[in-house]
Amino acid sequence: MPSKTELIKQKLGMGYNKATRLLYKQFLLHMAQQLQRDVCYRCREVITDPNDISLDHMTPWVQTSDPLATFFDLNHVALSHRLCNSMNHHNKPGKLR
């Protein structure tokens, strides 16, 4: 008899944690599309792949006087492509391409 973990992996084709992360990303992108907020903060192109979406801090939170508050301040968070966010996080938005 398979364990609960094995059964979940068999049913989903992946582990539960990986499936949950993908579901969160799909939901986030879907909501962004509904709100017409699915444009990358960095390159200004539409984000179409849920695997390519990331949260981008518009203000470098580490350099602020209150890093904890800035990190969680939703007014300083936008959506970006993962690559745009990770490769160009020090560049100004809209200046990558």
Side-chain angles (χ1 to χ4, degrees), residues 34-80:
Q34 295 298 310
L35 297 169
Q36 298 180 345
R37 301 284 306 253
D38 57 341
V39 174
C40 176
Y41 172 71
R42 299 287 169 182
C43 73
R44 304 292 191 217
E45 292 186 13
V46 174
I47 303 168
T48 59
D49 182 353
N51 288 310
D52 196 26
I53 198 167
S54 70
L55 293 178
D56 191 346
H57 289 92
M58 298 182 291
T59 303
W61 59 271
V62 174
Q63 300 170 3
T64 65
S65 61
D66 190 350
L68 179 64
T70 306
F71 185 88
F72 288 104
D73 185 347
L74 298 180
N75 293 313
H76 294 281
V77 177
L79 298 178
S80 292

mmCIF file of all heavy atoms in Angstrom, residues 34-80:
data_model
loop_
_atom_site.group_PDB
_atom_site.id
_atom_site.type_symbol
_atom_site.label_atom_id
_atom_site.label_comp_id
_atom_site.label_asym_id
_atom_site.label_seq_id
_atom_site.Cartn_x
_atom_site.Cartn_y
_atom_site.Cartn_z
ATOM 1 N N GLN A 34 -6.699 39.371 -14.513
ATOM 2 C CA GLN A 34 -8.044 39.904 -14.276
ATOM 3 C C GLN A 34 -7.998 41.391 -13.925
ATOM 4 O O GLN A 34 -8.881 42.153 -14.302
ATOM 5 C CB GLN A 34 -8.739 39.124 -13.148
ATOM 6 C CG GLN A 34 -9.006 37.670 -13.467
ATOM 7 C CD GLN A 34 -9.942 37.496 -14.641
ATOM 8 O OE1 GLN A 34 -10.997 38.100 -14.693
ATOM 9 N NE2 GLN A 34 -9.537 36.687 -15.607
ATOM 10 N N LEU A 35 -6.970 41.792 -13.208
ATOM 11 C CA LEU A 35 -6.816 43.181 -12.785
ATOM 12 C C LEU A 35 -6.018 44.018 -13.784
ATOM 13 O O LEU A 35 -5.761 45.198 -13.540
ATOM 14 C CB LEU A 35 -6.126 43.232 -11.416
ATOM 15 C CG LEU A 35 -6.905 42.589 -10.270
ATOM 16 C CD1 LEU A 35 -6.016 42.457 -9.043
ATOM 17 C CD2 LEU A 35 -8.150 43.399 -9.961
ATOM 18 N N GLN A 36 -5.606 43.390 -14.876
ATOM 19 C CA GLN A 36 -4.769 44.023 -15.889
ATOM 20 C C GLN A 36 -3.490 44.575 -15.268
ATOM 21 O O GLN A 36 -3.045 45.684 -15.557
ATOM 22 C CB GLN A 36 -5.544 45.108 -16.639
ATOM 23 C CG GLN A 36 -6.723 44.564 -17.387
ATOM 24 C CD GLN A 36 -7.505 45.618 -18.137
ATOM 25 O OE1 GLN A 36 -7.369 46.817 -17.923
ATOM 26 N NE2 GLN A 36 -8.354 45.150 -19.034
ATOM 27 N N ARG A 37 -2.886 43.753 -14.394
ATOM 28 C CA ARG A 37 -1.623 44.092 -13.727
ATOM 29 C C ARG A 37 -0.569 43.035 -14.034
ATOM 30 O O ARG A 37 0.289 42.754 -13.212
ATOM 31 C CB ARG A 37 -1.838 44.177 -12.209
ATOM 32 C CG ARG A 37 -2.859 45.183 -11.734
ATOM 33 C CD ARG A 37 -2.380 46.615 -11.767
ATOM 34 N NE ARG A 37 -1.141 46.794 -11.058
ATOM 35 C CZ ARG A 37 -1.009 47.397 -9.891
ATOM 36 N NH1 ARG A 37 -2.061 47.894 -9.293
ATOM 37 N NH2 ARG A 37 0.178 47.526 -9.333
ATOM 38 N N ASP A 38 -0.655 42.436 -15.212
ATOM 39 C CA ASP A 38 0.224 41.334 -15.591
ATOM 40 C C ASP A 38 1.409 41.782 -16.440
ATOM 41 O O ASP A 38 1.969 41.021 -17.211
ATOM 42 C CB ASP A 38 -0.565 40.243 -16.323
ATOM 43 C CG ASP A 38 -1.300 40.754 -17.551
ATOM 44 O OD1 ASP A 38 -1.507 41.972 -17.671
ATOM 45 O OD2 ASP A 38 -1.690 39.909 -18.390
ATOM 46 N N VAL A 39 1.832 43.018 -16.268
ATOM 47 C CA VAL A 39 2.961 43.571 -17.014
ATOM 48 C C VAL A 39 4.188 43.594 -16.102
ATOM 49 O O VAL A 39 4.107 44.005 -14.951
ATOM 50 C CB VAL A 39 2.629 44.992 -17.523
ATOM 51 C CG1 VAL A 39 3.833 45.636 -18.182
ATOM 52 C CG2 VAL A 39 1.458 44.939 -18.483
ATOM 53 N N CYS A 40 5.309 43.146 -16.633
ATOM 54 C CA CYS A 40 6.559 43.096 -15.879
ATOM 55 C C CYS A 40 6.991 44.513 -15.489
ATOM 56 O O CYS A 40 7.072 45.411 -16.333
ATOM 57 C CB CYS A 40 7.636 42.426 -16.714
ATOM 58 S SG CYS A 40 9.277 42.401 -15.951
ATOM 59 N N TYR A 41 7.279 44.692 -14.227
ATOM 60 C CA TYR A 41 7.736 45.984 -13.697
ATOM 61 C C TYR A 41 9.055 46.416 -14.336
ATOM 62 O O TYR A 41 9.304 47.600 -14.514
ATOM 63 C CB TYR A 41 7.887 45.859 -12.176
ATOM 64 C CG TYR A 41 8.537 47.035 -11.509
ATOM 65 C CD1 TYR A 41 7.863 48.244 -11.392
ATOM 66 C CD2 TYR A 41 9.812 46.936 -10.970
ATOM 67 C CE1 TYR A 41 8.445 49.332 -10.764
ATOM 68 C CE2 TYR A 41 10.405 48.017 -10.340
ATOM 69 C CZ TYR A 41 9.715 49.210 -10.241
ATOM 70 O OH TYR A 41 10.297 50.277 -9.617
ATOM 71 N N ARG A 42 9.895 45.467 -14.697
ATOM 72 C CA ARG A 42 11.225 45.781 -15.232
ATOM 73 C C ARG A 42 11.226 46.046 -16.737
ATOM 74 O O ARG A 42 11.729 47.054 -17.187
ATOM 75 C CB ARG A 42 12.197 44.645 -14.901
ATOM 76 C CG ARG A 42 12.369 44.413 -13.419
ATOM 77 C CD ARG A 42 13.180 45.505 -12.801
ATOM 78 N NE ARG A 42 13.123 45.425 -11.351
ATOM 79 C CZ ARG A 42 13.705 46.259 -10.537
ATOM 80 N NH1 ARG A 42 14.418 47.251 -11.008
ATOM 81 N NH2 ARG A 42 13.584 46.140 -9.247
ATOM 82 N N CYS A 43 10.672 45.112 -17.525
ATOM 83 C CA CYS A 43 10.776 45.245 -18.989
ATOM 84 C C CYS A 43 9.497 45.760 -19.643
ATOM 85 O O CYS A 43 9.488 46.057 -20.826
ATOM 86 C CB CYS A 43 11.191 43.920 -19.617
ATOM 87 S SG CYS A 43 9.897 42.654 -19.644
ATOM 88 N N ARG A 44 8.424 45.830 -18.861
ATOM 89 C CA ARG A 44 7.135 46.337 -19.331
ATOM 90 C C ARG A 44 6.448 45.421 -20.341
ATOM 91 O O ARG A 44 5.548 45.848 -21.055
ATOM 92 C CB ARG A 44 7.260 47.750 -19.914
ATOM 93 C CG ARG A 44 7.868 48.761 -18.974
ATOM 94 C CD ARG A 44 6.943 49.039 -17.828
ATOM 95 N NE ARG A 44 7.429 50.193 -17.072
ATOM 96 C CZ ARG A 44 7.353 50.280 -15.765
ATOM 97 N NH1 ARG A 44 6.815 49.314 -15.069
ATOM 98 N NH2 ARG A 44 7.801 51.337 -15.145
ATOM 99 N N GLU A 45 6.858 44.167 -20.431
ATOM 100 C CA GLU A 45 6.180 43.206 -21.304
ATOM 101 C C GLU A 45 5.209 42.372 -20.479
ATOM 102 O O GLU A 45 5.383 42.198 -19.273
ATOM 103 C CB GLU A 45 7.202 42.314 -22.006
ATOM 104 C CG GLU A 45 8.052 43.082 -23.005
ATOM 105 C CD GLU A 45 8.975 42.180 -23.802
ATOM 106 O OE1 GLU A 45 8.793 40.948 -23.772
ATOM 107 O OE2 GLU A 45 9.881 42.721 -24.443
ATOM 108 N N VAL A 46 4.192 41.838 -21.145
ATOM 109 C CA VAL A 46 3.170 41.039 -20.466
ATOM 110 C C VAL A 46 3.775 39.721 -19.983
ATOM 111 O O VAL A 46 4.546 39.080 -20.706
ATOM 112 C CB VAL A 46 1.972 40.769 -21.410
ATOM 113 C CG1 VAL A 46 0.966 39.819 -20.772
ATOM 114 C CG2 VAL A 46 1.291 42.080 -21.778
ATOM 115 N N ILE A 47 3.434 39.342 -18.771
ATOM 116 C CA ILE A 47 3.856 38.056 -18.205
ATOM 117 C C ILE A 47 2.787 37.036 -18.582
ATOM 118 O O ILE A 47 1.612 37.231 -18.276
ATOM 119 C CB ILE A 47 4.003 38.143 -16.673
ATOM 120 C CG1 ILE A 47 5.001 39.240 -16.300
ATOM 121 C CG2 ILE A 47 4.410 36.794 -16.100
ATOM 122 C CD1 ILE A 47 5.000 39.598 -14.830
ATOM 123 N N THR A 48 3.179 35.972 -19.262
ATOM 124 C CA THR A 48 2.205 34.982 -19.745
ATOM 125 C C THR A 48 2.378 33.600 -19.128
ATOM 126 O O THR A 48 1.463 32.794 -19.167
ATOM 127 C CB THR A 48 2.296 34.843 -21.277
ATOM 128 O OG1 THR A 48 3.625 34.441 -21.628
ATOM 129 C CG2 THR A 48 1.944 36.150 -21.968
ATOM 130 N N ASP A 49 3.545 33.330 -18.575
ATOM 131 C CA ASP A 49 3.841 31.995 -18.046
ATOM 132 C C ASP A 49 3.882 32.046 -16.520
ATOM 133 O O ASP A 49 4.686 32.785 -15.948
ATOM 134 C CB ASP A 49 5.194 31.535 -18.595
ATOM 135 C CG ASP A 49 5.593 30.145 -18.153
ATOM 136 O OD1 ASP A 49 4.903 29.537 -17.308
ATOM 137 O OD2 ASP A 49 6.617 29.655 -18.658
ATOM 138 N N PRO A 50 3.034 31.257 -15.850
ATOM 139 C CA PRO A 50 3.044 31.280 -14.387
ATOM 140 C C PRO A 50 4.378 30.857 -13.781
ATOM 141 O O PRO A 50 4.720 31.269 -12.679
ATOM 142 C CB PRO A 50 1.929 30.316 -13.985
ATOM 143 C CG PRO A 50 1.496 29.631 -15.201
ATOM 144 C CD PRO A 50 2.025 30.371 -16.383
ATOM 145 N N ASN A 51 5.154 30.072 -14.501
ATOM 146 C CA ASN A 51 6.469 29.671 -14.003
ATOM 147 C C ASN A 51 7.480 30.809 -14.090
ATOM 148 O O ASN A 51 8.570 30.709 -13.547
ATOM 149 C CB ASN A 51 6.994 28.461 -14.763
ATOM 150 C CG ASN A 51 6.248 27.213 -14.396
ATOM 151 O OD1 ASN A 51 6.071 26.905 -13.224
ATOM 152 N ND2 ASN A 51 5.765 26.501 -15.399
ATOM 153 N N ASP A 52 7.116 31.874 -14.781
ATOM 154 C CA ASP A 52 8.032 32.987 -15.025
ATOM 155 C C ASP A 52 7.664 34.222 -14.204
ATOM 156 O O ASP A 52 8.204 35.293 -14.427
ATOM 157 C CB ASP A 52 8.017 33.317 -16.521
ATOM 158 C CG ASP A 52 9.182 34.173 -16.946
ATOM 159 O OD1 ASP A 52 10.232 34.123 -16.274
ATOM 160 O OD2 ASP A 52 9.040 34.898 -17.941
ATOM 161 N N ILE A 53 6.753 34.089 -13.254
ATOM 162 C CA ILE A 53 6.296 35.238 -12.476
ATOM 163 C C ILE A 53 7.051 35.315 -11.150
ATOM 164 O O ILE A 53 7.388 34.290 -10.555
ATOM 165 C CB ILE A 53 4.773 35.171 -12.246
ATOM 166 C CG1 ILE A 53 4.218 36.526 -11.841
ATOM 167 C CG2 ILE A 53 4.401 34.102 -11.254
ATOM 168 C CD1 ILE A 53 2.699 36.594 -11.894
ATOM 169 N N SER A 54 7.365 36.530 -10.739
ATOM 170 C CA SER A 54 8.016 36.719 -9.438
ATOM 171 C C SER A 54 7.556 38.030 -8.829
ATOM 172 O O SER A 54 7.127 38.937 -9.535
ATOM 173 C CB SER A 54 9.541 36.714 -9.584
ATOM 174 O OG SER A 54 9.984 37.879 -10.240
ATOM 175 N N LEU A 55 7.662 38.106 -7.525
ATOM 176 C CA LEU A 55 7.403 39.358 -6.812
ATOM 177 C C LEU A 55 8.695 40.160 -6.801
ATOM 178 O O LEU A 55 9.752 39.633 -6.491
ATOM 179 C CB LEU A 55 6.940 39.087 -5.387
ATOM 180 C CG LEU A 55 5.593 38.412 -5.231
ATOM 181 C CD1 LEU A 55 5.298 38.162 -3.762
ATOM 182 C CD2 LEU A 55 4.488 39.241 -5.856
ATOM 183 N N ASP A 56 8.595 41.417 -7.131
ATOM 184 C CA ASP A 56 9.761 42.278 -7.267
ATOM 185 C C ASP A 56 9.609 43.458 -6.316
ATOM 186 O O ASP A 56 8.612 44.180 -6.363
ATOM 187 C CB ASP A 56 9.839 42.763 -8.719
ATOM 188 C CG ASP A 56 11.130 43.460 -9.068
ATOM 189 O OD1 ASP A 56 11.891 43.828 -8.155
ATOM 190 O OD2 ASP A 56 11.366 43.650 -10.273
ATOM 191 N N HIS A 57 10.579 43.649 -5.435
ATOM 192 C CA HIS A 57 10.563 44.809 -4.547
ATOM 193 C C HIS A 57 11.019 46.029 -5.333
ATOM 194 O O HIS A 57 12.158 46.089 -5.791
ATOM 195 C CB HIS A 57 11.467 44.575 -3.337
ATOM 196 C CG HIS A 57 10.907 43.578 -2.387
ATOM 197 N ND1 HIS A 57 11.209 42.238 -2.451
ATOM 198 C CD2 HIS A 57 10.038 43.735 -1.358
ATOM 199 C CE1 HIS A 57 10.554 41.604 -1.499
ATOM 200 N NE2 HIS A 57 9.836 42.482 -0.825
ATOM 201 N N MET A 58 10.134 46.983 -5.503
ATOM 202 C CA MET A 58 10.458 48.184 -6.263
ATOM 203 C C MET A 58 11.454 49.060 -5.512
ATOM 204 O O MET A 58 12.208 49.804 -6.120
ATOM 205 C CB MET A 58 9.179 48.969 -6.563
ATOM 206 C CG MET A 58 8.199 48.190 -7.423
ATOM 207 S SD MET A 58 6.715 49.131 -7.835
ATOM 208 C CE MET A 58 5.900 49.233 -6.249
ATOM 209 N N THR A 59 11.457 48.969 -4.208
ATOM 210 C CA THR A 59 12.407 49.677 -3.363
ATOM 211 C C THR A 59 13.358 48.652 -2.773
ATOM 212 O O THR A 59 12.893 47.661 -2.202
ATOM 213 C CB THR A 59 11.671 50.397 -2.204
ATOM 214 O OG1 THR A 59 10.704 51.277 -2.753
ATOM 215 C CG2 THR A 59 12.638 51.152 -1.326
ATOM 216 N N PRO A 60 14.668 48.807 -2.929
ATOM 217 C CA PRO A 60 15.601 47.852 -2.314
ATOM 218 C C PRO A 60 15.418 47.863 -0.793
ATOM 219 O O PRO A 60 15.932 48.727 -0.096
ATOM 220 C CB PRO A 60 16.981 48.363 -2.724
ATOM 221 C CG PRO A 60 16.745 49.263 -3.889
ATOM 222 C CD PRO A 60 15.370 49.839 -3.689
ATOM 223 N N TRP A 61 14.679 46.915 -0.286
ATOM 224 C CA TRP A 61 14.284 46.901 1.121
ATOM 225 C C TRP A 61 15.461 46.816 2.081
ATOM 226 O O TRP A 61 15.404 47.345 3.183
ATOM 227 C CB TRP A 61 13.294 45.772 1.385
ATOM 228 C CG TRP A 61 13.813 44.402 1.068
ATOM 229 C CD1 TRP A 61 13.729 43.756 -0.130
ATOM 230 C CD2 TRP A 61 14.500 43.536 1.946
ATOM 231 N NE1 TRP A 61 14.333 42.529 -0.053
ATOM 232 C CE2 TRP A 61 14.816 42.367 1.226
ATOM 233 C CE3 TRP A 61 14.897 43.616 3.271
ATOM 234 C CZ2 TRP A 61 15.498 41.297 1.782
ATOM 235 C CZ3 TRP A 61 15.579 42.546 3.831
ATOM 236 C CH2 TRP A 61 15.866 41.404 3.084
ATOM 237 N N VAL A 62 16.544 46.186 1.666
ATOM 238 C CA VAL A 62 17.712 46.034 2.544
ATOM 239 C C VAL A 62 18.321 47.392 2.885
ATOM 240 O O VAL A 62 18.867 47.574 3.969
ATOM 241 C CB VAL A 62 18.766 45.121 1.877
ATOM 242 C CG1 VAL A 62 20.041 45.058 2.681
ATOM 243 C CG2 VAL A 62 18.212 43.731 1.664
ATOM 244 N N GLN A 63 18.215 48.333 1.972
ATOM 245 C CA GLN A 63 18.854 49.638 2.136
ATOM 246 C C GLN A 63 17.974 50.666 2.831
ATOM 247 O O GLN A 63 18.336 51.829 2.919
ATOM 248 C CB GLN A 63 19.269 50.161 0.761
ATOM 249 C CG GLN A 63 20.232 49.249 0.049
ATOM 250 C CD GLN A 63 20.449 49.648 -1.394
ATOM 251 O OE1 GLN A 63 19.923 50.645 -1.865
ATOM 252 N NE2 GLN A 63 21.226 48.856 -2.107
ATOM 253 N N THR A 64 16.814 50.264 3.328
ATOM 254 C CA THR A 64 15.913 51.222 3.970
ATOM 255 C C THR A 64 16.146 51.270 5.476
ATOM 256 O O THR A 64 16.799 50.394 6.044
ATOM 257 C CB THR A 64 14.446 50.856 3.698
ATOM 258 O OG1 THR A 64 14.152 49.601 4.318
ATOM 259 C CG2 THR A 64 14.163 50.787 2.208
ATOM 260 N N SER A 65 15.585 52.265 6.106
ATOM 261 C CA SER A 65 15.734 52.400 7.560
ATOM 262 C C SER A 65 14.925 51.345 8.317
ATOM 263 O O SER A 65 15.236 51.031 9.458
ATOM 264 C CB SER A 65 15.311 53.798 8.013
ATOM 265 O OG SER A 65 13.959 54.017 7.687
ATOM 266 N N ASP A 66 13.887 50.790 7.658
ATOM 267 C CA ASP A 66 13.075 49.744 8.282
ATOM 268 C C ASP A 66 12.893 48.595 7.284
ATOM 269 O O ASP A 66 11.846 48.487 6.630
ATOM 270 C CB ASP A 66 11.720 50.310 8.712
ATOM 271 C CG ASP A 66 10.923 49.346 9.571
ATOM 272 O OD1 ASP A 66 11.318 48.165 9.699
ATOM 273 O OD2 ASP A 66 9.889 49.778 10.123
ATOM 274 N N PRO A 67 13.910 47.732 7.136
ATOM 275 C CA PRO A 67 13.850 46.660 6.143
ATOM 276 C C PRO A 67 12.648 45.732 6.293
ATOM 277 O O PRO A 67 12.048 45.340 5.297
ATOM 278 C CB PRO A 67 15.151 45.896 6.349
ATOM 279 C CG PRO A 67 16.056 46.832 7.054
ATOM 280 C CD PRO A 67 15.177 47.728 7.857
ATOM 281 N N LEU A 68 12.282 45.409 7.505
ATOM 282 C CA LEU A 68 11.154 44.499 7.723
ATOM 283 C C LEU A 68 9.855 45.103 7.195
ATOM 284 O O LEU A 68 9.114 44.453 6.449
ATOM 285 C CB LEU A 68 11.018 44.161 9.213
ATOM 286 C CG LEU A 68 9.864 43.226 9.580
ATOM 287 C CD1 LEU A 68 10.051 41.858 8.943
ATOM 288 C CD2 LEU A 68 9.756 43.102 11.096
ATOM 289 N N ALA A 69 9.592 46.341 7.539
ATOM 290 C CA ALA A 69 8.370 47.004 7.071
ATOM 291 C C ALA A 69 8.377 47.156 5.555
ATOM 292 O O ALA A 69 7.358 46.923 4.895
ATOM 293 C CB ALA A 69 8.217 48.360 7.743
ATOM 294 N N THR A 70 9.511 47.538 4.995
ATOM 295 C CA THR A 70 9.599 47.726 3.547
ATOM 296 C C THR A 70 9.432 46.410 2.803
ATOM 297 O O THR A 70 8.776 46.364 1.762
ATOM 298 C CB THR A 70 10.940 48.387 3.160
ATOM 299 O OG1 THR A 70 11.090 49.590 3.903
ATOM 300 C CG2 THR A 70 10.998 48.707 1.678
ATOM 301 N N PHE A 71 9.998 45.337 3.342
ATOM 302 C CA PHE A 71 9.880 44.021 2.710
ATOM 303 C C PHE A 71 8.416 43.622 2.551
ATOM 304 O O PHE A 71 8.014 43.086 1.522
ATOM 305 C CB PHE A 71 10.624 42.963 3.527
ATOM 306 C CG PHE A 71 10.648 41.608 2.880
ATOM 307 C CD1 PHE A 71 11.652 41.269 1.999
ATOM 308 C CD2 PHE A 71 9.655 40.680 3.149
ATOM 309 C CE1 PHE A 71 11.678 40.022 1.392
ATOM 310 C CE2 PHE A 71 9.674 39.427 2.547
ATOM 311 C CZ PHE A 71 10.688 39.103 1.663
ATOM 312 N N PHE A 72 7.603 43.893 3.557
ATOM 313 C CA PHE A 72 6.202 43.476 3.542
ATOM 314 C C PHE A 72 5.239 44.566 3.080
ATOM 315 O O PHE A 72 4.029 44.357 3.065
ATOM 316 C CB PHE A 72 5.789 42.974 4.930
ATOM 317 C CG PHE A 72 6.387 41.642 5.261
ATOM 318 C CD1 PHE A 72 7.448 41.559 6.142
ATOM 319 C CD2 PHE A 72 5.913 40.478 4.680
ATOM 320 C CE1 PHE A 72 8.026 40.328 6.448
ATOM 321 C CE2 PHE A 72 6.472 39.252 4.970
ATOM 322 C CZ PHE A 72 7.528 39.170 5.858
ATOM 323 N N ASP A 73 5.737 45.716 2.685
ATOM 324 C CA ASP A 73 4.890 46.809 2.228
ATOM 325 C C ASP A 73 4.425 46.528 0.791
ATOM 326 O O ASP A 73 5.211 46.599 -0.150
ATOM 327 C CB ASP A 73 5.658 48.134 2.291
ATOM 328 C CG ASP A 73 4.798 49.333 1.944
ATOM 329 O OD1 ASP A 73 3.677 49.160 1.420
ATOM 330 O OD2 ASP A 73 5.266 50.463 2.191
ATOM 331 N N LEU A 74 3.155 46.238 0.638
ATOM 332 C CA LEU A 74 2.622 45.881 -0.676
ATOM 333 C C LEU A 74 2.658 47.030 -1.670
ATOM 334 O O LEU A 74 2.563 46.804 -2.879
ATOM 335 C CB LEU A 74 1.190 45.350 -0.536
ATOM 336 C CG LEU A 74 1.057 44.072 0.293
ATOM 337 C CD1 LEU A 74 -0.405 43.637 0.361
ATOM 338 C CD2 LEU A 74 1.919 42.950 -0.267
ATOM 339 N N ASN A 75 2.819 48.246 -1.184
ATOM 340 C CA ASN A 75 2.955 49.385 -2.093
ATOM 341 C C ASN A 75 4.320 49.435 -2.758
ATOM 342 O O ASN A 75 4.541 50.246 -3.662
ATOM 343 C CB ASN A 75 2.705 50.694 -1.330
ATOM 344 C CG ASN A 75 1.273 50.805 -0.879
ATOM 345 O OD1 ASN A 75 0.353 50.568 -1.653
ATOM 346 N ND2 ASN A 75 1.079 51.141 0.379
ATOM 347 N N HIS A 76 5.224 48.595 -2.322
ATOM 348 C CA HIS A 76 6.575 48.558 -2.880
ATOM 349 C C HIS A 76 6.876 47.221 -3.555
ATOM 350 O O HIS A 76 8.038 46.863 -3.744
ATOM 351 C CB HIS A 76 7.615 48.830 -1.787
ATOM 352 C CG HIS A 76 7.535 50.209 -1.244
ATOM 353 N ND1 HIS A 76 8.062 51.296 -1.915
ATOM 354 C CD2 HIS A 76 6.964 50.700 -0.134
ATOM 355 C CE1 HIS A 76 7.821 52.384 -1.225
ATOM 356 N NE2 HIS A 76 7.160 52.058 -0.139
ATOM 357 N N VAL A 77 5.812 46.489 -3.920
ATOM 358 C CA VAL A 77 5.977 45.186 -4.566
ATOM 359 C C VAL A 77 5.215 45.201 -5.889
ATOM 360 O O VAL A 77 4.096 45.696 -5.969
ATOM 361 C CB VAL A 77 5.453 44.042 -3.666
ATOM 362 C CG1 VAL A 77 5.548 42.703 -4.371
ATOM 363 C CG2 VAL A 77 6.213 44.007 -2.355
ATOM 364 N N ALA A 78 5.851 44.665 -6.919
ATOM 365 C CA ALA A 78 5.224 44.554 -8.234
ATOM 366 C C ALA A 78 5.552 43.170 -8.797
ATOM 367 O O ALA A 78 6.365 42.434 -8.236
ATOM 368 C CB ALA A 78 5.756 45.637 -9.170
ATOM 369 N N LEU A 79 4.937 42.843 -9.914
ATOM 370 C CA LEU A 79 5.223 41.582 -10.583
ATOM 371 C C LEU A 79 6.279 41.800 -11.654
ATOM 372 O O LEU A 79 6.284 42.826 -12.337
ATOM 373 C CB LEU A 79 3.954 41.013 -11.218
ATOM 374 C CG LEU A 79 2.826 40.676 -10.252
ATOM 375 C CD1 LEU A 79 1.615 40.165 -11.022
ATOM 376 C CD2 LEU A 79 3.277 39.647 -9.234
ATOM 377 N N SER A 80 7.151 40.830 -11.780
ATOM 378 C CA SER A 80 8.181 40.855 -12.813
ATOM 379 C C SER A 80 8.408 39.445 -13.332
ATOM 380 O O SER A 80 8.062 38.470 -12.668
ATOM 381 C CB SER A 80 9.514 41.374 -12.255
ATOM 382 O OG SER A 80 9.440 42.718 -11.920
#
